[in-house]
Amino acid sequence: MRLATLMAVYNLGEIAQQNIDYLNLIVEQPNDIFVVDQSSSTWRVPFAGAKTATLSYNLGGPLGFDLALKLSEHYTEWNKLPDYDYYLISPTSGLMDPTGERIEDIISPCVEFLEQNEEAVMIQPAYRSTSNAMNKHMFDTGTGAPRQVQHLE
């Protein structure tokens, strides 16, 4: 089972680096991290522990993530590795470990859930207990009814 983390970064390099450090130090699931730096003006050092492409312009979030996906595909092809089974789309606007004291792995249980539930196509870890308040995307915009969503404790 192979997991790739995709990050599109613009001027939040310190947050991205802290998330990369968390993923590399705490997460038990084997994980390759791919970062697309979109011409950040406030971060000019390489990302330690990640495979990085640096652009001279900002593509925006969706195209940045698409480029990170392509980077991961080329990486597997070039190195003659199997394709990734799962992708973690990692936002860089928030810390996975806000206090620097998190010792639990919040990613591997998500991957295990996907492996055990063939009908599941996407899962998002909650980085803190208040994350559920922001889940308006989990409700159908037409009916207001909850989408078929399962929360893991």
Side-chain angles (χ1 to χ4, degrees), residues 74-141:
H74 287 294
Y75 176 79
T76 59
E77 185 178 321
W78 179 264
N79 292 290
K80 296 179 177 38
L81 297 169
D83 292 339
Y84 292 100
D85 299 298
Y86 303 104
Y87 294 92
L88 171 63
I89 308 298
S90 177
T92 54
S93 56
L95 290 169
M96 293 180 184
D97 182 9
T99 64
E101 299 172 0
R102 175 172 278 155
I103 59 170
E104 74 271 13
D105 176 357
I106 61 172
I107 305 300
S108 294
C110 295
V111 173
E112 291 168 11
F113 178 85
L114 289 170
E115 287 181 321
Q116 296 168 4
N117 296 274
E118 291 180 8
E119 294 182 10
V121 294
M122 181 178 78
I123 193 164
Q124 174 184 351
Y127 302 130
R128 55 192 159 276
S129 61
T130 57
S131 292
N132 290 344
M134 300 301 287
N135 288 340
K136 294 178 182 165
H137 64 282
M138 293 186 172
F139 293 90
D140 184 278
T141 54

Side-chain angles (χ1 to χ4, degrees), residues 5-10 12-13 16-17 19-20 23 32-38 40 43 45-55 64-65 67-69 71-72 90 92:
T5 297
L6 310 177
M7 293 184 182
V9 178
Y10 179 72
L12 292 172
Q17 187 62 63
N19 286 343
I20 292 166
L23 288 166
D32 289 324
I33 303 167
F34 297 91
V35 178
V36 173
D37 183 351
Q38 304 186 83
S40 294
W43 186 262
V45 297
F47 290 99
K51 294 142 186 75
T52 306
T54 302
L55 305 179
F65 283 115
L67 187 58
L69 175 63
L71 181 64
S72 74
S90 177
T92 54

